[in-house]
Each structure stands twice: as structure tokens, then as C-alpha cells.
Amino acid sequence: MNVRTAERGDRPAIRDVARRSLQASYSLSPEAITGAVSEWYDETALDEATNDEDRHLLVADREGQVVGFAESELSGDDATLLWLHVDPAYRGEGIGTALFEETRERLTEAGADRLVGRVLADNIDGNGFYEAQGFEQVDEADLQIAGHHHVENVWAESGDDGLQAIKSADGATVYVDETDWDDGSVAKFYTVYRDEEGSDHYGYFCSNCNRLANAMDAMGRIECDSCGNARKPTRWDAAYL
């Protein structure tokens, strides 16, 4: 088996692996799975994944057949494993681990000093996978999929709680949780707390211009007044194996 950078010709196989992986890992409706694959793995999304120098899209190739893939991104020193899917017919053969290790190696070489991953709480295998890699659960978040609420677990390498202290405009110390974010149109919005325990929500931190934004409208929209970075729709969880 060879883990390599994805090529344009791999795209139909990537979508097929994603569909089969989601079907095997979650009790989602066929319509929800079709919508997820169309949204996250269409040509535009895969163009973005392959043309952005801070993104890595890797595939596991077995004798010319794509049997798994992983997508990750680097934002400053923070790296995120966005997707890791393995074809159900090839699970249990170390393919997920090989993709994970190659992804982490490439991100480290690119300057990452922290790797974070997210997986739905009901994905038993996915959560077990992170635990087996020496990660620990540092947070959980509410995630909406196809109109239904789900709990998403946030995992980080052991010993890293993801909280970074910064100063607000009035000189107070607040804490940016780099394991809890919403995707923006340009860069991520990280959740900010007033306390180190992460119990008193303050607002959001725009990672594009490194400024605080402490407002969200009734529709759940976040927009940075400084650079115009705006919150995007919630992403889908991956089927980690």
C-alpha cells in the first residue's frame, strides 16, 4: 500500500470511499449522506483541498485502487485532521493508521506543533482510534447534521488543552480555545472564554486578522468587523477508522 498526494483522477474514488464510509459508520439517511458527499467532495471542494498550500489531501493506494483518504489543514501552528475515511471493505488493515501517521508527519514538517481532530460521539471506532493514537478528549461541541443535533468530541495530543491566553481590548485576560472553532469564509473563528476552565463564554477570535469578535446574531452568524471573515455552514464529521 502507498500513501500519496491525491491526484485529479482519484476524485471519483474519493467520493465513493466517503459515501461507503459514512454509510457504514453512521445511522444517517441516504439523502443526508448524498448531500454530505455532494457538498464536501464535489469538484470545487476538491480543487480547494488540492490547490491550497496549507491543505493536505492524501490517499491510500492499494495496487492502483484508492481505499482510503485523509484531508487536513494547517492554520499557523495549529493543524486539524478534517477527514479520515477508509473503505469498509479494507478496515482493520492499518490503512487509517498509515494515513494518520503520514498526515501528521507532513503537518509537522510544515510547522505544526499541535494536531486536533473531531469525531461524533456515537462513532465508537472513530473515538477509539484517537485514543489509540495517544490523544485525549479535551472538549465536546454541538453539531447539526441534516437538521438533527449531534455531540462532537474534540481530541488533541495528550497534555494540550488548547487554551491560549490573550489580552482583550480593555486589557482583560481571555482564553482562546484552539480546539473549538467554526469555519469562516477566510479563516477559522475560535471560541473565547473569560476563564481558564472554559465555562464563561466571552466571544470569538478571528484567526485571519488575529482580532477578537464577541458577537453572534440570532441566526448564528459570526462576522469579523476588521476583515470581513464570516462564519460558514457547519462542516460534517468524518468517519475515522
Side-chain angles (χ1 to χ4, degrees):
M1 183 189 66
N2 178 36
V3 176
R4 58 173 174 80
T5 300
E7 301 171 354
R8 179 171 289 274
D10 297 323
R11 295 182 178 187
I14 287 173
R15 285 188 281 268
D16 185 58
V17 168
R19 182 179 294 104
R20 288 164 56 82
S21 179
L22 287 168
Q23 289 171 341
S25 300
Y26 301 111
S27 57
L28 298 171
S29 69
E31 293 78 13
I33 291 174
T34 298
V37 173
S38 298
E39 179 177 356
W40 294 106
Y41 308 112
D42 65 7
E43 290 299 305
T44 299
L46 291 176
D47 275 340
E48 293 176 355
T50 53
N51 295 329
D52 188 337
E53 62 181 12
D54 291 327
R55 303 272 287 276
H56 295 275
L57 182 60
L58 307 181
V59 298
D61 183 329
R62 172 172 286 183
E63 299 179 351
Q65 180 180 354
V66 172
V67 295
F69 71 92
E71 182 185 353
S72 60
E73 68 175 1
L74 180 68
S75 179
D77 296 332
D78 185 31
T80 306
L81 181 56
L82 298 171
W83 318 105
L84 201 167
H85 288 286
V86 175
D87 188 319
Y90 294 90
R91 292 181 177 179
E93 300 181 19
I95 294 170
T97 299
L99 283 164
F100 176 85
E101 291 177 349
E102 180 65 20
T103 295
R104 180 157 60 178
E105 182 176 339
R106 295 198 186 195
L107 291 168
T108 299
E109 291 175 353
D113 61 10
R114 178 188 303 110
L115 180 59
V116 173
R118 295 185 171 201
V119 60
L120 289 181
D122 62 1
N123 185 343
I124 297 174
D125 291 329
N127 286 281
F129 176 84
Y130 273 115
E131 190 170 10
Q133 304 307 316
F135 280 48
E136 59 184 16
Q137 185 182 337
V138 296
D139 200 1
E140 63 180 36
D142 181 70
L143 185 66
Q144 198 171 95
I145 299 177
H148 298 281
H149 290 279
H150 299 264
V151 175
E152 185 182 46
N153 292 337
V154 181
W155 293 83
E157 293 174 285
S158 296
D160 182 10
D161 63 7
L163 291 176
Q164 304 296 322
I166 63 171
K167 292 292 185 180
S168 65
D170 58 7
T173 300
V174 293
Y175 301 88
V176 181
D177 187 350
E178 295 184 343
T179 67
D180 186 11
W181 72 85
D182 285 285
D183 287 327
S185 55
V186 180
K188 295 175 181 176
F189 285 100
Y190 293 104
T191 303
V192 182
Y193 296 97
R194 291 185 174 87
D195 60 314
E196 291 185 79
E197 290 72 31
S199 60
D200 189 2
H201 182 248
Y202 174 82
Y204 303 91
F205 179 83
C206 175
S207 63
N208 184 53
C209 63
N210 295 326
R211 292 175 180 263
L212 289 166
N214 59 3
M216 176 188 288
D217 65 23
M219 300 300 293
R221 178 179 173 83
I222 309 168
E223 184 169 357
C224 179
D225 293 334
S226 299
C227 69
N229 183 26
R231 182 189 188 185
K232 295 170 62 178
T234 302
R235 69 173 184 85
W236 280 70
D237 167 61
Y240 298 90
L241 285 173

